[in-house]
């Protein structure tokens, strides 16, 4: 059984650029969530996807968008990057209705 | 709105001493509470959830609705318990799935 994998692990962008982060869910999980973790903070919910549809969204602007594919992998896209977008982005998968989330190791984004 | 508060950023105890990591929450409905843990150089993982009422690695946590608390306790701390601990509360994100609200975390250090 493979765990949640994320890519890239680290990346550096400049303000105004766009970024795409990728996530492969744990085998058998069809629900994926994305979290942003700023330095010294707990993870903050961005949005969740279930069966390729957005299934809930946190307090993030529309320039944060996502996709889920038929194989349950997922992407997080952020447009018009701002300095405050610098953070660790975590992907988590779970079975629908099960509260245990399985996290990836995260993608650390630095915006200069 | 839902909120999770972990009042201690850092907690240091000696091996064999009791440990209690505090968590208070704010939620208008009936909450489901979790403790997640992140050991050094490992990914975030579930430690325990209140509905299972289990003891995991000697840790227990009782949901106190009157005090809106979910403190994590262990009678005799071990050095391998040193980690970052996050308290989290679930809310339903649109459909029937879990969106977690995390506290800022408590870094536990168990000294030899």
């Amino acid at each position: 059984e493979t765990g949640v994998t994320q890519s890239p692990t680290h990346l550096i962008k400049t303000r105004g650029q766009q970024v795409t982060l990728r996530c492969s869910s744990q085998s058998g999980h069809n629900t994926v969530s994305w979290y942003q973790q700023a330095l010294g903070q707990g993870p903050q919910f961005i949005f969740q996807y279930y069966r390729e549809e957005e299934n809930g969204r946190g307090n993030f602007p529309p320039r944060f968008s996502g996709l889920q594919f038929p194989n349950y992998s997922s992407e997080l896209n952020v447009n018009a990057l701002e300095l405050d977008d610098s953070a660790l982005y975590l992907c988590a998968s779970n079975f629908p209705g099960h509260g245990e989330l399985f996290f990836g190791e995260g993608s650390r984004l630095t915006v200069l | 709105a839902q909120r999770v508060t972990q009042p201690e950023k850092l907690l240091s105890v000696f091996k064999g001493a009791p440990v209690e990591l505090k968590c208070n929450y704010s939620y208008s409905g009936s909450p489901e509470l979790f403790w997640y843990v992140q050991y050094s150089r490992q990914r975030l993982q579930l430690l325990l959830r209140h509905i299972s009422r289990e003891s995991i690695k000697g840790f227990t946590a009782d949901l106190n609705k009157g005090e809106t608390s979910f403190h994590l306790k262990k009678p005799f701390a071990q050095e391998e318990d040193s980690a970052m601990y996050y308290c989290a509360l679930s809310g339903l994100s649109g459909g029937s799935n879990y969106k977690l609200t995390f506290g800022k975390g408590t870094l536990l250090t168990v000294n030899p």
Side-chain angles (χ1 to χ4, degrees):
Chain A
E1 176 178 283
T2 56
V4 176
T5 58
Q6 293 186 240
S7 63
T9 54
H10 296 81
L11 68 167
I12 300 173
K13 292 285 188 178
T14 55
R15 198 169 46 181
Q17 285 188 311
Q18 177 265 346
V19 68
T20 298
L21 307 178
R22 295 179 174 84
C23 171
S24 292
S25 304
Q26 180 148 328
S27 177
H29 291 181
N30 57 9
T31 302
V32 64
S33 304
W34 285 90
Y35 288 79
Q36 181 195 65
Q37 186 173 20
L39 201 59
Q41 304 293 317
Q44 188 175 358
F45 177 75
I46 303 175
F47 44 56
Q48 182 181 88
Y49 279 82
Y50 171 61
R51 291 185 175 178
E52 302 175 55
E53 297 284 333
E54 188 177 289
N55 185 40
R57 189 178 184 92
N59 189 27
F60 281 81
R63 60 190 185 81
F64 285 77
S65 63
L67 283 173
Q68 186 182 31
F69 301 100
N71 65 355
Y72 306 138
S73 65
S74 176
E75 284 182 359
L76 164 65
N77 298 288
V78 187
N79 293 321
L81 283 167
E82 301 177 359
L83 298 179
D84 285 350
D85 296 333
S86 295
L88 181 67
Y89 289 85
L90 295 169
C91 173
S93 70
N94 64 295
F95 289 111
H98 284 234
E100 179 174 4
L101 301 188
F102 292 80
F103 284 86
E105 294 183 322
S107 293
R108 184 164 297 282
L109 171 65
T110 302
V111 182
L112 302 177
Chain B
Q2 51 199 47
R3 182 177 297 165
V4 175
T5 303
Q6 294 180 250
E8 303 137 330
K9 279 186 107 169
L10 303 170
L11 184 62
S12 182
V13 301
F14 286 102
K15 177 182 172 180
V19 63
E20 181 180 50
L21 291 88
K22 291 184 167 52
C23 172
N24 288 91
Y25 67 89
S26 171
Y27 185 61
S28 56
S30 184
E32 185 167 353
L33 275 296
F34 305 82
W35 277 98
Y36 277 77
V37 61
Q38 186 165 26
Y39 301 102
S40 179
R41 289 186 291 277
Q42 294 188 27
R43 60 188 68 194
L44 196 58
Q45 60 187 283
L46 178 67
L47 178 62
L48 53 79
R49 55 196 299 186
H50 89 271
I51 62 170
S52 61
R53 305 183 69 82
E54 292 175 306
S55 172
I56 305 293
K57 298 185 178 182
F59 285 96
T60 59
D62 291 319
L63 179 61
N64 185 323
K65 292 187 179 181
E67 296 184 357
T68 59
S69 69
F70 187 57
H71 302 329
L72 183 68
K73 300 176 184 179
K74 185 170 182 176
F76 307 104
Q78 302 299 314
E79 289 180 68
E80 56 265 31
D81 296 328
S82 296
M84 179 69 85
Y85 291 81
Y86 294 96
C87 182
L89 178 152
S90 79
L92 297 181
S93 60
S96 60
N97 225 313
Y98 285 82
K99 175 199 89 170
L100 294 183
T101 298
F102 285 86
K104 292 186 178 182
T106 298
L107 180 62
L108 173 66
T109 302
V110 181
N111 300 298

